[in-house]
Amino acid sequence: ASFHRSKGHLHREVYWLLRGMEILSNELPTQFQRKFGFACRRHFDALCENSANDLISKLASTTYAINGESKLEEEAFVSVLQAARNVLEAVVQDEDMASLLKGHMEANLLKYVVDIALADALGDTTKMASDIVRCLEERCLPGEEYGGVVSTLANPKMYAKLLHISVAILHKEESLFNGTMESTKCAFSVHGMHILMARLTQVLSWEGITTSSSAVPKTPTKERKEYFHAMRLTLCKGLMRAFASAQTNSSSEKDGKGGVVEQSLDDEVELMLSPCI
């Protein structure tokens, strides 16, 4: 795997990392077995996470340039996207390990990030919004290796970039909004907006813009403060449109007798337990 990494052969690198994980999981004597191994698992996790982070960073700095930064060449973005797809395809094509990795955090993160980039190319903002929320929402991780830890698929260092892309989607929607309830559209659901605002609250704390939980408080620049204040305002407006859009959709889902279709108990419980600020 190290040899193929040095040669830039991502597909072959993934193949041998998966073989190492498979051997350490199943082939060794029982007392030496460890699910997905250790060294190979660590390198595989890092490969998936770094590929996802590189792709999101390129997407945020090219399609959604930050603070007026010059856009990177399209070829550079395509190269990073192709590299991420190569890693993902190598995992999917491995019949022995693909099914075992369905709940794997880093592999699932990479899948959703690739889907976000592809949806952006197609102009499908609803699909982008759905996958962004999946990366940012908290969940109880199953399996013995996670021990029931509550976490997000995305690494915290990705939060700001994912929020930036989300705000760009909301900005575009806001520019098309003509003020009438009938035309109100929001790619994000109310639940999705709650997730975005919860992650923004964390980022504001880390940046030192609100009460910082860091032992060494940060002093953000004026430009940084203005950037995140504008982001918070856009999210608030987006939440307003999400409520209006949900109300419009609810009104259109009346049954033939004029009554509103009732929400299932499972949906109501999920909404009650969804993260909020």
Side-chain angles (χ1 to χ4, degrees), residues 161-176:
K161 297 291 178 60
L162 287 167
L163 285 170
H164 178 81
I165 296 171
S166 302
V167 167
I169 294 172
L170 295 170
H171 266 308
K172 184 176 181 180
E173 289 177 347
E174 186 177 350
S175 67
L176 300 174

Side-chain angles (χ1 to χ4, degrees), residues 190-191 194 263 266-275:
V190 174
H191 169 73
H194 283 170
Q263 192 174 31
D266 288 342
D267 289 340
E268 290 183 3
V269 172
E270 182 177 357
L271 182 59
M272 290 169 59
L273 297 179
S274 62

Side-chain angles (χ1 to χ4, degrees), residues 6-266:
S6 66
K7 298 295 182 181
H9 300 155
L10 288 175
H11 201 285
R12 295 177 183 177
E13 179 187 355
V14 172
Y15 173 83
W16 286 111
L17 287 175
L18 292 178
R19 294 288 69 76
M21 292 164 64
E22 181 181 17
I23 290 173
L24 291 172
S25 299
N26 305 315
E27 305 299 330
L28 294 179
T30 305
Q31 64 269 30
F32 297 112
Q33 287 183 9
R34 186 168 183 175
K35 188 171 183 181
F36 297 149
F38 178 72
C40 291
R41 164 70 180 269
R42 183 183 61 195
H43 287 296
F44 177 73
D45 290 355
L47 177 61
C48 291
E49 186 174 297
N50 290 337
S51 297
N53 185 58
D54 290 345
L55 183 53
I56 281 297
S57 297
K58 282 290 188 294
L59 181 62
S61 62
T62 54
T63 310
Y64 305 101
I66 299 176
N67 295 334
E69 293 178 6
S70 60
K71 293 185 177 181
L72 300 176
E73 293 185 5
E74 183 178 351
E75 290 78 7
F77 171 72
V78 173
S79 176
V80 174
L81 173 58
Q82 188 57 52
R85 293 186 69 180
N86 286 342
V87 174
L88 188 60
E89 288 173 2
V91 175
V92 174
Q93 292 172 6
D94 195 304
E95 296 181 358
D96 293 325
M97 293 295 290
S99 60
L100 298 177
L101 292 171
K102 285 185 178 180
H104 186 268
M105 281 186 63
E106 289 78 9
N108 277 280
L109 170 64
L110 181 59
K111 173 189 178 299
Y112 287 125
V113 167
V114 170
D115 286 347
I116 290 169
L118 295 177
D120 175 66
L122 297 173
D124 188 348
T125 56
T126 301
K127 172 65 174 172
M128 290 182 69
S130 174
D131 288 335
I132 288 172
V133 170
R134 288 181 181 275
C135 291
L136 292 176
E137 66 184 347
E138 293 180 328
R139 65 194 69 203
C140 182
L141 305 180
E144 295 179 0
E145 69 271 26
Y146 295 122
V149 172
V150 175
S151 182
T152 60
L153 289 180
N155 187 295
K157 65 184 179 182
M158 297 176 64
Y159 289 0
K161 297 291 178 60
L162 287 167
L163 285 170
H164 178 81
I165 296 171
S166 302
V167 167
I169 294 172
L170 295 170
H171 266 308
K172 184 176 181 180
E173 289 177 347
E174 186 177 350
S175 67
L176 300 174
F177 179 56
N178 62 12
T180 61
M181 292 293 291
E182 292 76 9
S183 66
T184 302
K185 299 292 182 183
C186 187
F188 293 91
S189 64
V190 174
H191 169 73
M193 292 304 305
H194 283 170
I195 297 297
L196 295 182
M197 298 185 82
R199 298 293 83 77
L200 177 61
T201 299
Q202 290 178 284
V203 172
L204 291 177
S205 176
W206 298 335
E207 291 284 337
I209 296 174
T210 59
T211 303
S212 177
S213 58
S214 174
V216 182
K218 295 182 65 174
T219 304
T221 62
K222 179 181 178 182
E223 292 75 14
R224 198 69 174 164
K225 286 183 178 180
E226 291 176 349
Y227 169 71
F228 281 109
H229 285 321
M231 178 180 286
R232 182 164 54 185
L233 178 60
T234 300
L235 290 182
C236 289
K237 291 180 178 179
L239 180 59
M240 176 188 68
R241 292 198 307 278
F243 274 118
S245 179
Q247 183 64 34
T248 301
N249 293 337
S250 177
S251 298
S252 64
E253 291 178 357
K254 291 183 178 180
D255 59 20
K257 298 180 181 180
V260 178
V261 177
E262 293 186 2
Q263 192 174 31
S264 70
L265 178 60
D266 288 342

